[in-house]
Amino acid sequence: MSSGRTESPYRRTAFETDSRWRGENNPGLKLSVNAWRDRIPWLCNLHDILLRDVASGQHVVLACSALKKMYRDILTQGKDGAAPKCKESGREAKWAKIQLLVVHLSGSFEVISERLLKRKGHFMPPELLQSQFETLEPPAAPEKFIQISVNKNVSKIIATIMETLKMK
């Protein structure tokens, strides 16, 4: 079980995953180390989902790979920082502000590689892992984030996240 799939004690929490934007919807992620251009529409879609869910009063957990600060900025601000929306809807609407807490799960290349090799049917080929580590821009101030080691068990990771959220 992954951390994201553990049940949340918040009754009004939506759990979104980026998996629906993988595969056929984003073939560059399977085939290319340099797929960053393909990520922009994908991140904009996730931004729009976050806006919708937050505007409806939900707490949202989004599990995705936002390795670069630019990607995390798109999640909160839209493309090129042009909030309120990535898509032009042509109508006025009241948009909620997205407050993002990045949960940075950190681990060594060896540990993550070993886990990735054990996954069956995962969208990311193990050959791309090195490029992911090279691309990673760990969160830093002024971003709101917590860093948690993947060496902890899932229940401790969840407990740390939940404690952090209670303080917000």
Side-chain angles (χ1 to χ4, degrees), residues 44 47-48 51 77-79 82-89 91 95:
C44 285
H47 167 78
D48 294 344
L51 278 176
Q77 301 167 21
K79 186 176 178 185
K85 233 179 162 245
C86 289
K87 296 178 184 174
E88 294 299 322
S89 65
R91 60 187 171 110
W95 298 107

Side-chain angles (χ1 to χ4, degrees), residues 82-144:
K85 233 179 162 245
C86 289
K87 296 178 184 174
E88 294 299 322
S89 65
R91 60 187 171 110
E92 293 291 322
K94 182 179 177 183
W95 298 107
K97 182 178 178 186
I98 297 174
Q99 296 180 19
L100 184 67
L101 172 69
V102 174
V103 177
H104 177 61
L105 298 175
S106 63
S108 70
F109 179 86
E110 293 75 21
V111 168
I112 294 173
S113 178
E114 180 181 316
R115 291 180 184 181
L116 183 59
L117 289 170
K118 289 179 183 176
R119 289 184 175 181
K120 301 295 179 215
H122 195 264
F123 67 87
M124 189 178 111
E127 303 82 48
L128 289 183
L129 183 60
Q130 183 62 45
S131 72
Q132 298 291 288
F133 270 79
E134 291 167 1
T135 301
L136 177 62
E137 295 173 4
E143 288 181 277
K144 293 179 183 177

Side-chain angles (χ1 to χ4, degrees), residues 13-162:
T13 300
F15 180 82
E16 297 287 350
T17 178
D18 66 355
S19 62
R20 72 173 111 184
W21 309 110
R22 303 287 189 196
E24 293 174 9
N25 297 323
N26 206 345
L29 291 176
K30 281 190 172 182
L31 305 174
S32 172
V33 170
N34 299 313
W36 68 270
R37 283 186 186 96
D38 296 332
R39 292 180 189 268
I40 303 304
W42 164 73
L43 290 164
C44 285
N45 282 325
L46 294 175
H47 167 78
D48 294 344
I49 290 168
L50 288 171
L51 278 176
R52 179 198 68 210
D53 290 352
V54 169
S56 71
Q58 294 186 64
H59 297 280
V60 182
V61 175
L62 171 67
C64 75
S65 174
L67 298 174
K68 293 185 173 200
K69 182 178 184 322
M70 177 183 83
Y71 301 162
R72 297 185 296 272
D73 289 346
I74 291 171
L75 289 173
T76 59
Q77 301 167 21
K79 186 176 178 185
D80 300 323
K85 233 179 162 245
C86 289
K87 296 178 184 174
E88 294 299 322
S89 65
R91 60 187 171 110
E92 293 291 322
K94 182 179 177 183
W95 298 107
K97 182 178 178 186
I98 297 174
Q99 296 180 19
L100 184 67
L101 172 69
V102 174
V103 177
H104 177 61
L105 298 175
S106 63
S108 70
F109 179 86
E110 293 75 21
V111 168
I112 294 173
S113 178
E114 180 181 316
R115 291 180 184 181
L116 183 59
L117 289 170
K118 289 179 183 176
R119 289 184 175 181
K120 301 295 179 215
H122 195 264
F123 67 87
M124 189 178 111
E127 303 82 48
L128 289 183
L129 183 60
Q130 183 62 45
S131 72
Q132 298 291 288
F133 270 79
E134 291 167 1
T135 301
L136 177 62
E137 295 173 4
E143 288 181 277
K144 293 179 183 177
F145 71 96
I146 58 173
Q147 181 170 316
I148 305 172
S149 171
V150 297
N151 294 328
K152 291 183 176 186
N153 68 40
V154 173
S155 62
K156 287 188 179 183
I157 291 172
I158 298 299
T160 302
I161 294 168
M162 297 311 297

